[in-house]
């Protein structure tokens, strides 16, 4: 798979989208597309064909599970990471079953999120992602 | 006068055998019950730490390939 550096952030809370896009910018990704619910995410996915999707679960209009299902139906190789405040076993297992490559709790320390994202992107796309620049 | 005791060891064994046959479940029923229990019980609501989540996703995460 070729990596184009395009990442879709799906979350209904604007401050979470801002936080995640700041993390991604620190990794050198400037092309962050944002969606505030599942339906918007599907439209963005079809239009932009991002390399990676960071997906919340609890959202209005369409939740993260249904969104994940539809994205995987569009592209069976889609790289989707769940980024959510839910941490119950059912949500984690359901996400794995539906094809998410990883699951991050929102309360995970910033540095851990950065390292996990780097690791997944480097492995999935066989590309080198430089270490993040220091936080402003 | 002699009376026969129905609770002989042989009768007990036969009763146990019948009881075992009476409570037999089919595999699909048991699996469906297990799935329902996993989805609705306290087990499914157990909060997982990031480390435990990482273990569950160990085989799903893309892996580094050796560069040639």
């Amino acid at each position: 798979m070729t990596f184009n550096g395009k990442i879709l952030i799906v979350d209904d809370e604007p401050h979470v989208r801002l936080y995640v896009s700041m993390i991604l910018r620190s990794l050198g990704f400037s092309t962050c597309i944002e969606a505030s619910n599942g339906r918007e995410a599907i439209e963005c996915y079809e239009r932009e064909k991002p390399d990676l999707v960071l997906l919340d679960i609890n959202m209005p209009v369409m939740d993260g599970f249904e969104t994940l299902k539809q994205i995987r139906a569009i592209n069976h190789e889609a790289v989707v990471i769940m980024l959510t405040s839910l941490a119950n076993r059912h949500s984690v297992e359901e996400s794995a079953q539906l094809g998410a490559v990883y699951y991050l709790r929102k309360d995970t320390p910033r540095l851990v999120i950065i390292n996990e994202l780097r690791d997944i992107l480097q492995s999935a796309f066989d590309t080198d992602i430089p270490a993040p620049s220091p936080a402003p | 006068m002699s009376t026969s005791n129905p609770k002989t060891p042989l009768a007990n064994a036969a009763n146990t055998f019948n009881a075992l046959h009476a409570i037999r479940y089919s595999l699909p029923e048991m699996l469906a019950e297990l799935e329902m229990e996993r989805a609705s019980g306290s087990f499914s609501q157990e909060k997982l730490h990031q480390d435990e989540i990482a273990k569950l996703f160990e085989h799903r995460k893309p892996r580094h390939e050796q560069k040639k």
Side-chain angles (χ1 to χ4, degrees):
Chain A
M1 279 192 283
T2 318
F3 185 62
N4 300 309
K6 221 185 250 188
I7 297 174
L8 171 61
I9 305 163
V10 190
D11 201 299
D12 56 328
E13 295 176 73
H15 66 276
V16 175
R17 297 200 300 269
L18 179 66
Y19 172 68
V20 178
S21 65
M22 279 171 70
I23 288 180
L24 292 168
R25 276 177 225 286
S26 77
L27 283 169
F29 303 120
S30 53
T31 320
C32 298
I33 313 144
E34 296 182 17
S36 60
N37 63 58
R39 193 175 295 161
E40 265 183 33
I42 302 296
E43 288 166 9
C44 282
Y45 191 85
E46 285 183 313
R47 191 176 60 239
E48 305 284 346
K49 299 191 172 37
D51 302 299
L52 171 73
V53 182
L54 290 165
L55 182 60
D56 186 23
I57 293 178
N58 265 342
M59 290 182 295
V61 187
M62 186 192 289
D63 71 14
F65 295 132
E66 183 56 34
T67 311
L68 173 59
K69 212 185 289 179
Q70 292 200 20
I71 287 176
R72 297 275 297 178
I74 296 166
N75 176 11
H76 184 64
E77 291 188 321
V79 181
V80 181
I81 298 174
M82 308 310 281
L83 182 63
T84 173
S85 49
L86 293 182
N88 61 68
R89 186 179 287 276
H90 172 68
S91 301
V92 175
E93 289 183 347
E94 180 82 358
S95 301
Q97 204 180 352
L98 291 173
V101 297
Y102 202 54
Y103 191 108
L104 281 166
R105 289 172 53 143
K106 277 182 187 165
D107 59 357
T108 305
R110 184 176 165 274
L111 204 60
V112 176
I113 294 182
I114 287 174
N115 287 335
E116 293 289 5
L117 289 178
R118 275 188 78 202
D119 187 39
I120 290 167
L121 287 170
Q122 289 186 143
S123 306
F125 297 97
D126 196 22
T127 184
D128 287 323
I129 312 276
S133 48
Chain B
M1 201 168 78
S2 70
T3 53
S4 63
N5 182 5
K7 301 279 180 195
T8 59
L10 194 62
N12 282 342
N15 283 341
T16 309
F17 182 76
N18 285 336
L20 281 175
H21 272 252
I23 58 163
R24 193 170 53 185
Y25 275 83
S26 74
L27 184 61
E29 273 177 62
M30 282 175 68
L31 291 176
E33 205 168 288
L34 184 68
E35 187 145 331
M36 202 169 73
E37 182 63 32
R38 279 182 74 92
S40 62
S42 57
F43 179 77
S44 70
Q45 294 311 316
E46 179 195 0
K47 292 267 183 293
L48 299 180
H49 290 284
Q50 191 59 51
D51 292 348
E52 295 168 293
I53 294 171
K55 279 181 201 158
L56 289 172
F57 274 83
E58 213 166 45
H59 302 294
R60 292 214 52 85
K61 252 174 124 176
R63 293 184 182 283
H64 279 292
E65 282 174 25
Q66 292 288 327
K67 282 188 178 173
K68 287 173 193 168

